[in-house]
């Protein structure tokens, strides 16, 4: 009986669980804009403008990808975009050489 009632909501809940990390990270970037920008600027010495563009790209890429996946529009492109954000963050935040983080 329970499954019959909730059957129509389960795909939406499953998609939300799959993109929850991207959603949380995008929202966190919105609220910690200056900290993220200062970290990128301090790490790469690229200036506030380029650091701001990087943070905006991450924020927009993650939130738009999440919205597209949840709305079931252009899901393949949204997933490729989210994968690209992962690759970009791996390079920008020097995660590639942090084995402990990668294993997590």
């Amino acid at each position: 009986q329970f499954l019959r009632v909730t059957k129509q909501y389960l795909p939406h809940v499953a998609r939300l669980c799959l993109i929850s990390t991207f959603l949380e990270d995008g929202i966190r970037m919105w609220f910690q804009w200056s900290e993220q920008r200062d970290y990128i600027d301090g790490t790469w010495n690229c200036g506030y403008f380029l650091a701001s563009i990087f943070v905006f790209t991450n924020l927009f890429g993650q939130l738009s990808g999440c919205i597209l996946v949840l709305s079931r529009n252009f899901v393949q492109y949204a997933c490729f975009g989210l994968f690209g954000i992962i690759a970009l963050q791996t390079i920008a935040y020097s995660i590639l050489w942090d084995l402990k983080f990668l294993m997590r």
Side-chain angles (χ1 to χ4, degrees):
Q1 185 71 359
F2 176 75
L3 287 177
R4 235 180 283 149
V5 173
T6 60
K7 186 177 178 181
Q8 63 187 2
Y9 302 109
L10 287 178
H12 299 292
V13 172
R15 288 175 185 267
L16 183 63
C17 289
L18 288 172
I19 57 122
S20 63
T21 299
F22 295 104
L23 189 61
E24 181 272 332
D25 195 33
I27 292 170
R28 186 173 46 79
M29 283 195 175
W30 177 270
F31 288 108
Q32 295 179 348
W33 180 275
S34 60
E35 290 92 345
Q36 295 290 326
R37 182 194 59 213
D38 292 341
Y39 177 80
I40 293 298
D41 182 33
T43 303
W44 292 95
N45 294 322
C46 60
Y48 277 157
F49 181 72
L50 287 177
S52 295
I53 288 177
F54 174 79
V55 174
F56 178 76
T57 302
N58 272 318
L59 176 115
F60 182 75
Q62 290 184 62
L63 293 182
S64 62
C66 290
I67 290 169
L68 288 174
V69 167
L70 287 175
S71 66
R72 295 182 180 185
N73 292 320
F74 305 106
V75 174
Q76 277 188 323
Y77 296 117
C79 289
F80 284 132
L82 291 173
F83 182 75
I85 293 293
I86 290 172
L88 185 65
Q89 286 182 352
T90 301
I91 295 167
Y93 291 109
S94 302
I95 299 170
L96 190 58
W97 310 117
D98 188 3
L99 186 61
K100 183 179 175 184
F101 184 83
L102 285 176
M103 295 305 285
R104 218 177 339 145

